[in-house]
Amino acid sequence: VPNFEERLKNFMVKSHDLGCRILSILEPKACPKLAQGTLAAAHRLWVEDGQCTLRLLHYPPVHDAGKLPSNYWRAGPHTDWCCATLLFQQPGNEGPECAPNPKAMKDGAPWLKVDPVPGGIAVNIGDMLGRWSDGRLLSNLHRVRMPTKEESSPPKSRYSMAFFMQADKHVCIECETCETITAGDYILGRIRSNFAK
């Protein structure tokens, strides 16, 4: 791809700008004790302790999709660790589904399709913002299902891009319901929890 690095960096800058605008819109209700602009300022690009991340996602083609067990996923149910995720996907790449945060569910809730919309961006609230907001915002549970038999005839790859708004490592996440922690230690703790026995 010509100018791949330059184009991706430009895409990251635009994604970051949009993510900062979204956090600024959410901030007054989510984190009313923070000075306006605190959330956006906590997420920087191209700095040594910055944690904002772009992931280019490829899900390989699935053959014989109709024969797979119903508990197989392209990405199993999870919440994101960041403050907010911007998910970029193209029509024809169906699969993402979301459900309310388990803390907010009553007697379970159905999974809803998050099919791609031309020009649309799916936005997920992450666990970091849930903590920072003292639970005023909850991260949403999401997954990527396997393609249906029709969607995999013929088998095809699924591509998407996810931009994760993760506060800089040195930033302190302060709230009334949890101990203060730096964003770097928060992410490190989440990584370690994946490998705990």
Side-chain angles (χ1 to χ4, degrees), residues 94 122 188:
E94 288 72 18
L188 187 59

Side-chain angles (χ1 to χ4, degrees), residues 10-99:
N10 185 46
F11 180 78
M12 287 180 72
V13 168
K14 290 180 179 182
S15 298
H16 178 260
D17 289 347
L18 177 59
C20 286
R21 286 183 18 217
I22 291 169
L23 291 177
S24 294
I25 291 168
L26 295 173
E27 186 175 54
K29 294 286 186 183
C31 305
K33 294 185 178 181
L34 291 181
Q36 185 66 29
T38 299
L39 288 180
H43 298 77
R44 299 176 300 158
L45 278 179
W46 324 127
V47 295
E48 188 172 320
D49 74 339
Q51 298 189 110
C52 291
T53 304
L54 175 66
R55 288 183 65 198
L56 306 179
L57 302 164
H58 170 240
Y59 302 89
V62 175
H63 300 272
D64 299 320
K67 296 179 183 177
L68 295 173
S70 61
N71 63 341
Y72 278 35
W73 309 103
R74 279 184 156 174
H78 65 283
T79 56
D80 292 338
W81 303 341
C82 59
C83 280
T85 304
L86 307 179
L87 179 64
F88 302 86
Q89 46 185 355
Q90 294 179 329
N93 281 278
E94 288 72 18
E97 299 176 327
C98 70

Side-chain angles (χ1 to χ4, degrees), residues 51-188:
Q51 298 189 110
C52 291
T53 304
L54 175 66
R55 288 183 65 198
L56 306 179
L57 302 164
H58 170 240
Y59 302 89
V62 175
H63 300 272
D64 299 320
K67 296 179 183 177
L68 295 173
S70 61
N71 63 341
Y72 278 35
W73 309 103
R74 279 184 156 174
H78 65 283
T79 56
D80 292 338
W81 303 341
C82 59
C83 280
T85 304
L86 307 179
L87 179 64
F88 302 86
Q89 46 185 355
Q90 294 179 329
N93 281 278
E94 288 72 18
E97 299 176 327
C98 70
N101 184 291
K103 295 176 186 174
M105 284 197 283
K106 295 178 183 173
D107 300 325
W111 286 87
L112 304 173
K113 292 181 179 182
V114 186
D115 288 338
V117 175
I121 303 166
V123 179
N124 291 324
I125 300 298
D127 298 331
M128 186 182 286
L129 186 54
R131 181 182 180 125
W132 219 334
S133 71
D134 277 311
R136 290 180 190 89
L137 294 178
L138 296 174
S139 53
N140 60 302
L141 195 60
H142 53 282
R143 65 188 182 191
V144 181
R145 64 171 172 75
M146 297 300 274
T148 64
K149 185 177 179 180
E150 294 76 25
E151 290 168 347
S152 60
S153 297
K156 63 180 180 179
S157 292
R158 180 180 192 282
Y159 297 95
S160 61
M161 296 186 292
F163 186 77
F164 299 95
M165 292 291 288
Q166 298 178 155
D168 300 346
K169 290 179 183 178
H170 76 277
V171 171
C172 287
I173 301 170
E174 298 179 88
C175 61
E176 296 175 0
T177 56
C178 299
E179 290 183 23
T180 298
I181 189 170
T182 64
D185 286 340
Y186 180 79
I187 294 295
L188 187 59

